[in-house]
PDB file of all heavy atoms in Angstrom:
ATOM      1  N   PRO A  46     -13.052   9.383  17.677  1.00 96.00           N
ATOM      2  CA  PRO A  46     -13.774   8.201  18.293  1.00 96.00           C
ATOM      3  C   PRO A  46     -15.018   7.979  17.748  1.00 96.00           C
ATOM      4  O   PRO A  46     -15.803   8.875  17.379  1.00 96.00           O
ATOM      5  CB  PRO A  46     -13.736   8.598  19.853  1.00 96.00           C
ATOM      6  CG  PRO A  46     -12.711   9.642  20.006  1.00 96.00           C
ATOM      7  CD  PRO A  46     -12.496  10.350  18.641  1.00 96.00           C
ATOM      8  N   ASN A  47     -15.368   6.690  17.520  1.00 95.00           N
ATOM      9  CA  ASN A  47     -16.640   6.175  16.933  1.00 95.00           C
ATOM     10  C   ASN A  47     -16.707   6.463  15.522  1.00 95.00           C
ATOM     11  O   ASN A  47     -17.843   6.011  14.949  1.00 95.00           O
ATOM     12  CB  ASN A  47     -17.951   6.792  17.666  1.00 95.00           C
ATOM     13  CG  ASN A  47     -17.829   6.405  19.143  1.00 95.00           C
ATOM     14  OD1 ASN A  47     -17.442   5.365  19.528  1.00 95.00           O
ATOM     15  ND2 ASN A  47     -18.060   7.505  20.003  1.00 95.00           N
ATOM     16  N   ASP A  48     -15.782   7.081  14.786  1.00 98.00           N
ATOM     17  CA  ASP A  48     -15.867   6.989  13.335  1.00 98.00           C
ATOM     18  C   ASP A  48     -15.997   5.514  12.747  1.00 98.00           C
ATOM     19  O   ASP A  48     -15.278   4.682  13.311  1.00 98.00           O
ATOM     20  CB  ASP A  48     -14.557   7.712  12.739  1.00 98.00           C
ATOM     21  CG  ASP A  48     -14.676   9.097  12.543  1.00 98.00           C
ATOM     22  OD1 ASP A  48     -15.762   9.706  12.780  1.00 98.00           O
ATOM     23  OD2 ASP A  48     -13.621   9.788  12.232  1.00 98.00           O
ATOM     24  N   ARG A  49     -16.692   5.387  11.691  1.00 98.00           N
ATOM     25  CA  ARG A  49     -16.737   4.096  10.940  1.00 98.00           C
ATOM     26  C   ARG A  49     -15.678   4.141   9.886  1.00 98.00           C
ATOM     27  O   ARG A  49     -15.748   5.017   9.069  1.00 98.00           O
ATOM     28  CB  ARG A  49     -18.134   3.826  10.444  1.00 98.00           C
ATOM     29  CG  ARG A  49     -19.129   3.421  11.591  1.00 98.00           C
ATOM     30  CD  ARG A  49     -20.552   3.689  11.079  1.00 98.00           C
ATOM     31  NE  ARG A  49     -20.717   5.114  10.582  1.00 98.00           N
ATOM     32  CZ  ARG A  49     -21.649   5.570   9.776  1.00 98.00           C
ATOM     33  NH1 ARG A  49     -22.622   4.750   9.441  1.00 98.00           N
ATOM     34  NH2 ARG A  49     -21.811   6.800   9.551  1.00 98.00           N
ATOM     35  N   VAL A  50     -14.657   3.319   9.984  1.00 98.00           N
ATOM     36  CA  VAL A  50     -13.414   3.523   9.135  1.00 98.00           C
ATOM     37  C   VAL A  50     -13.348   2.201   8.382  1.00 98.00           C
ATOM     38  O   VAL A  50     -13.349   1.134   8.775  1.00 98.00           O
ATOM     39  CB  VAL A  50     -12.146   3.589   9.910  1.00 98.00           C
ATOM     40  CG1 VAL A  50     -11.050   3.614   9.030  1.00 98.00           C
ATOM     41  CG2 VAL A  50     -12.311   5.055  10.666  1.00 98.00           C
ATOM     42  N   LEU A  51     -13.233   2.419   7.009  1.00 98.00           N
ATOM     43  CA  LEU A  51     -13.089   1.247   5.986  1.00 98.00           C
ATOM     44  C   LEU A  51     -11.588   1.363   5.756  1.00 98.00           C
ATOM     45  O   LEU A  51     -10.994   2.450   5.116  1.00 98.00           O
ATOM     46  CB  LEU A  51     -13.819   1.379   4.802  1.00 98.00           C
ATOM     47  CG  LEU A  51     -13.578   0.376   3.611  1.00 98.00           C
ATOM     48  CD1 LEU A  51     -13.789  -1.065   4.152  1.00 98.00           C
ATOM     49  CD2 LEU A  51     -14.510   0.766   2.481  1.00 98.00           C
ATOM     50  N   ASP A  52     -10.626   0.388   5.853  1.00 98.00           N
ATOM     51  CA  ASP A  52      -9.209   0.347   5.448  1.00 98.00           C
ATOM     52  C   ASP A  52      -9.199  -0.573   4.174  1.00 98.00           C
ATOM     53  O   ASP A  52      -9.344  -1.812   4.226  1.00 98.00           O
ATOM     54  CB  ASP A  52      -8.457  -0.177   6.662  1.00 98.00           C
ATOM     55  CG  ASP A  52      -6.892  -0.129   6.334  1.00 98.00           C
ATOM     56  OD1 ASP A  52      -6.570   0.366   5.265  1.00 98.00           O
ATOM     57  OD2 ASP A  52      -6.206  -0.636   7.284  1.00 98.00           O
ATOM     58  N   VAL A  53      -8.870   0.071   3.093  1.00 98.00           N
ATOM     59  CA  VAL A  53      -8.850  -0.750   1.837  1.00 98.00           C
ATOM     60  C   VAL A  53      -7.473  -1.299   1.463  1.00 98.00           C
ATOM     61  O   VAL A  53      -6.545  -0.543   1.503  1.00 98.00           O
ATOM     62  CB  VAL A  53      -9.402   0.313   0.641  1.00 98.00           C
ATOM     63  CG1 VAL A  53      -9.176  -0.315  -0.705  1.00 98.00           C
ATOM     64  CG2 VAL A  53     -10.666   0.866   0.880  1.00 98.00           C
ATOM     65  N   GLY A  54      -7.522  -2.541   1.185  1.00 98.00           N
ATOM     66  CA  GLY A  54      -6.243  -3.267   0.985  1.00 98.00           C
ATOM     67  C   GLY A  54      -5.490  -3.190   2.251  1.00 98.00           C
ATOM     68  O   GLY A  54      -4.301  -2.777   2.348  1.00 98.00           O
ATOM     69  N   CYS A  55      -6.136  -3.634   3.390  1.00 98.00           N
ATOM     70  CA  CYS A  55      -5.584  -3.524   4.748  1.00 98.00           C
ATOM     71  C   CYS A  55      -4.378  -4.509   5.073  1.00 98.00           C
ATOM     72  O   CYS A  55      -3.701  -4.213   6.029  1.00 98.00           O
ATOM     73  CB  CYS A  55      -6.654  -3.744   5.720  1.00 98.00           C
ATOM     74  SG  CYS A  55      -7.240  -5.504   5.738  1.00 98.00           S
ATOM     75  N   GLY A  56      -4.108  -5.395   4.096  1.00 97.00           N
ATOM     76  CA  GLY A  56      -3.045  -6.309   4.418  1.00 97.00           C
ATOM     77  C   GLY A  56      -3.231  -7.016   5.797  1.00 97.00           C
ATOM     78  O   GLY A  56      -4.220  -7.583   6.053  1.00 97.00           O
ATOM     79  N   SER A  57      -2.193  -7.049   6.583  1.00 97.00           N
ATOM     80  CA  SER A  57      -2.183  -7.671   7.888  1.00 97.00           C
ATOM     81  C   SER A  57      -2.771  -6.733   8.881  1.00 97.00           C
ATOM     82  O   SER A  57      -2.610  -7.085  10.124  1.00 97.00           O
ATOM     83  CB  SER A  57      -0.719  -8.093   8.358  1.00 97.00           C
ATOM     84  OG  SER A  57       0.105  -7.066   8.061  1.00 97.00           O
TER      85      SER A  57
END
Side-chain angles (χ1 to χ4, degrees):
N47 301 320
D48 270 352
R49 290 158 301 166
V50 172
L51 172 64
D52 185 2
V53 173
C55 65
S57 48

